[in-house]
Every structure is written in C-alpha cells, then in structure tokens.
Amino acid sequence: EAGEGVKFTAQVKNTGNRDGAEVVQVYVRKVGDTEGPLKSLRGFRRVDLKAGESRTVSIELSPDAFEFFDTSTNTMRVVPGEYEIMYGNSSDTPEANKLTVVLR
C-alpha cells in the first residue's frame, strides 16, 4: 500500500579467496515517469564477509523511498503505481537484479 515501507532482502556471497566487504545498493524508479530520474539510490548496507561466506542482507525502504515529484500537485509524494526496485554493488545494476512492486 502507498504510505507503507518495503523490506528488501538479498543474499550476498564473497566468492573470492580473501576476506572483504561489499556495499549492497538499492535503487527505486517510478515506472513510466519520463521526467524523473532513471533511478534513485534509496538504501544501502555495507557487509563484511569472510572468504566464501554468504549472508542475507535486509534493507528497510521507508515510505519516503517511493516519493517522487508529482507534476500534477507540484509536490514530492508517493504516487500509486508501478515501481522498480534494483539492487547490486553499483548503480550499473544487471537487468536480472530488478523486481517490480505496485503501490495502491
């Protein structure tokens, strides 16, 4: 529902031979918004991982993560509709790392 947050969860794995860290980034885009940004960084979490370790990472997207400029009201607000959530370790997220949510 519009006005409610979303809990995003992803599995992260260190496939290397050394301990390291990764930053999971979550982007949101309003589908069909031709005047808005292609994607907006709305959440991130740094994760330290030992070599070969996997971990589940959760990032809470608050309701304002879905706020975009609404030209009909000249305000920032959550407009019901379709949104894409993209995730990865950079803004160049693969197409496979995308899911769609519909806010009503």
Side-chain angles (χ1 to χ4, degrees), residues 30-100:
K30 172 81 171 89
V31 175
D33 184 356
T34 58
E35 296 181 18
L38 293 176
K39 58 180 92 170
S40 297
L41 179 64
R42 299 302 174 126
F44 63 92
R45 168 109 356 118
R46 179 187 163 100
V47 183
D48 293 315
L49 297 164
K50 299 203 179 293
E53 181 182 10
S54 293
R55 186 176 303 162
T56 301
V57 177
S58 294
I59 299 173
E60 293 283 339
L61 297 175
S62 63
D64 64 350
F66 298 92
E67 284 185 354
F68 288 88
F69 188 74
D70 180 11
T71 56
S72 67
T73 62
N74 285 330
T75 61
M76 293 292 289
R77 70 183 193 100
V78 178
V79 177
E82 209 173 324
Y83 291 80
E84 291 177 342
I85 299 175
M86 297 156 277
Y87 60 96
N89 61 355
S90 75
S91 63
D92 187 24
T93 56
E95 189 67 22
N97 292 7
K98 178 172 62 174
L99 55 107
T100 302

Side-chain angles (χ1 to χ4, degrees), residues 14-32:
N14 179 350
T15 59
N17 297 324
R18 297 176 186 213
D19 296 352
E22 186 61 87
V23 178
V24 179
Q25 301 173 24
V26 180
Y27 295 84
V28 175
R29 180 177 89 85
K30 172 81 171 89
V31 175

